[in-house]
């Protein structure tokens, strides 16, 4: 734990225990999404599925990176991960991104994917709002994650044809925004 | 349709096997089955069994997230949809 770092956040008027609880829930969302996306990726086959596979994989790896990046902040602030992984799963800030009934229905797959990303965009926007100007490090981290979640949302939304695209798939390394927290 | 007083609504706090009800703009919704309302708690800050009309203003989503949950009644007096909300 980083005692003074925690004190500074408290002094800024943030309830640190509640913030930590929220960070743990979002870490759970990241790790469980990483897991559920593994299953989705395995099922993204055929002419349509293979086209989506690459971005689903980038989103999956980046969500794992988000988990990795959140954990140190949780411990710095005096929090910890639950001992029991079943509990960790169930406290996730987002619902499980489960394989649709018909996994060959690629549109249904994309809807699961885009909804998971939208949940994340909402969650990190809220953490940014809460910490802005008060907890600089958590803000910096959640803003970096938010940048990537918005790109994930756009990728899947664009595959669904919801509107014209301003994006292309990741080129180069994954996690262009969060990588500074992983080094 | 059942009319809930605030005291009655408070019993549906989702704790210890209780059902989880929340009210929003005069309607009472049953959110018991939701993954995100386990034990009547939502995203650390919100509890079932109370009127959340004002709280939802600060949420990163609108009231449409409630659409898929059954309406089980209305809340007495406050926040009727056809009444102007607090200034
Ligand atoms: C701090 C404030 C809040 C935060 C950070 C928050 C966050 C979230 C998030 C991230 C989701 C998932 C949305 C998605 O899948 O895209 C959600 C869903 C939901 N929220 Fe909130 N929320 C807040 C306040 C509220 C309030 C005040 C209510 C009052 C009724 C509410 C009711 C719901 C409902 C009913 C759902 C849908 C649950 C489901 O689909 O099972 N939220 N919220
Ligand atoms: Fe993520
Ligand atoms: Fe994501």
């Amino acid at each position: 734990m980083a005692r003074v770092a925690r004190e500074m956040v408290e002094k800024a008027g943030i309830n640190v225990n509640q913030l930590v609880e929220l960070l743990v829930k979002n870490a759970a969302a990241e790790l469980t999404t990483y897991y559920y996306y593994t299953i989705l990726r395995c099922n993204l086959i055929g002419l349509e599925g293979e086209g989506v596979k690459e971005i689903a994989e980038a989103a999956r790896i980046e969500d794992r990176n988000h988990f990795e990046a959140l954990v140190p902040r949780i411990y710095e602030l005096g929090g910890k991960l639950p001992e029991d992984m079943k509990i960790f799963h169930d406290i996730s800030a987002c619902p499980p991104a489960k394989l649709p009934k018909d996994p060959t229905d690629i549109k249904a797959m994309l809807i699961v994917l885009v909804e998971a990303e939208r949940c994340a965009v909402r969650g990190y926007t809220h953490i940014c709002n809460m910490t802005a100007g008060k907890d600089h490090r958590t803000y910096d981290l959640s803003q970096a994650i938010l940048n990537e979640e918005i790109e994930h949302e756009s990728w899947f939304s664009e595959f669904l044809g919801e509107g014209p695209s301003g994006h292309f798939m990741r080129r180069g390394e994954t996690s262009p925004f969060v990588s500074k927290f992983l080094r | 349709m059942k009319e809930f007083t605030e005291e009655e609504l408070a019993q549906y706090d989702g704790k210890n096997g209780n059902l989880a009800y929340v009210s929003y703009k005069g309607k009472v919704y049953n959110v018991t089955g939701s993954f995100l309302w386990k034990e009547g708690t939502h995203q650390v800050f919100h509890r079932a069994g109370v009127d959340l009309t004002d709280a939802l203003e600060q949420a990163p989503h609108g009231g449409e997230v409630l659409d898929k949950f059954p309406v089980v009644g209305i809340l007495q007096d406050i926040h009727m949809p056809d009444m102007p909300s607090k200034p």
Side-chain angles (χ1 to χ4, degrees):
Chain A
M1 178 174 143
R3 182 175 56 82
V4 172
R6 182 183 159 111
E7 266 172 38
M8 293 302 104
V9 177
E10 268 163 0
K11 217 166 166 264
I14 288 185
N15 180 326
V16 178
N17 290 340
Q18 285 183 331
L19 174 63
V20 165
E21 209 184 320
L22 202 57
L23 294 176
V24 170
K25 281 173 157 299
N26 280 277
E30 299 293 0
L31 192 64
T32 53
T33 302
Y34 172 66
Y35 175 82
Y36 288 113
Y37 275 27
T38 308
I39 299 170
L40 296 179
R41 189 205 59 194
C42 293
N43 282 276
L44 284 167
I45 53 168
L47 272 180
E48 278 184 299
E50 293 291 344
V52 180
K53 186 177 266 174
E54 187 136 351
I55 53 163
E57 176 62 1
R60 185 182 81 102
I61 297 301
E62 292 188 357
D63 279 352
R64 188 201 59 201
N65 291 346
H66 299 167
F67 168 75
E68 299 278 5
L70 283 163
V71 171
R73 188 62 184 147
I74 290 166
Y75 281 85
E76 279 169 13
L77 291 172
K80 61 175 178 156
L81 299 181
E83 272 169 44
D84 186 344
M85 199 178 178
K86 295 192 293 260
I87 292 175
F88 192 54
H89 174 281
D90 288 350
I91 59 173
S92 169
C94 293
K98 292 230 171 102
L99 192 67
K101 290 234 155 41
D102 176 7
T104 63
D105 180 348
I106 302 304
K107 187 164 179 226
M109 290 280 239
L110 283 166
I111 289 171
V112 170
L113 290 158
V114 83
E115 282 184 352
E117 302 302 345
R118 287 180 169 151
C119 182
V121 169
R122 294 193 157 112
Y124 290 107
T125 300
H126 179 243
I127 298 175
C128 282
N129 291 346
M130 257 180 86
T131 53
K134 292 180 179 158
D135 175 352
H136 309 295
R137 185 157 156 86
T138 305
Y139 177 81
D140 194 15
L141 170 62
S142 37
Q143 198 219 37
I145 298 176
L146 177 61
N147 273 286
E148 293 180 5
E149 301 299 5
I150 291 172
E151 295 190 349
H152 299 172
E153 182 196 1
S154 312
W155 296 341
F156 297 123
S157 155
E158 288 160 10
F159 255 106
L160 278 165
E162 290 178 342
S165 166
H167 295 89
F168 196 66
M169 64 174 75
R170 274 272 177 278
R171 271 166 296 191
E173 295 293 293
T174 50
S175 282
F177 296 91
V178 174
S179 56
K180 69 171 177 176
F181 294 96
L182 301 170
R183 280 194 277 265
Chain B
M1 189 156 273
K2 181 170 167 47
E3 254 192 54
F4 288 81
T5 62
E6 283 186 61
E7 292 71 34
E8 278 174 309
L9 180 60
Q11 294 169 352
Y12 299 90
D13 62 0
K15 300 252 176 313
N16 312 310
N18 291 341
L19 295 171
Y21 290 0
V22 298
S23 85
Y24 175 66
K25 292 197 172 164
K27 288 185 186 157
V28 177
Y29 296 85
N30 181 352
V31 296
T32 308
S34 169
F35 182 90
L36 296 176
W37 280 92
K38 287 209 190 74
E39 283 295 300
T41 302
H42 180 60
Q43 305 284 347
V44 183
F45 300 97
H46 303 289
R47 303 282 175 270
V50 293
D51 180 63
L52 291 170
T53 308
D54 292 340
L56 211 130
E57 297 284 307
Q58 312 297 318
H61 56 66
E64 74 284 348
V65 290
L66 285 159
D67 290 348
K68 67 175 176 194
F69 296 97
V71 176
V72 290
I74 53 171
L75 187 64
Q76 250 180 27
D77 288 331
I78 59 166
H79 295 309
M80 295 303 284
D82 50 347
M83 270 165 52
S85 54
K86 277 184 258 167

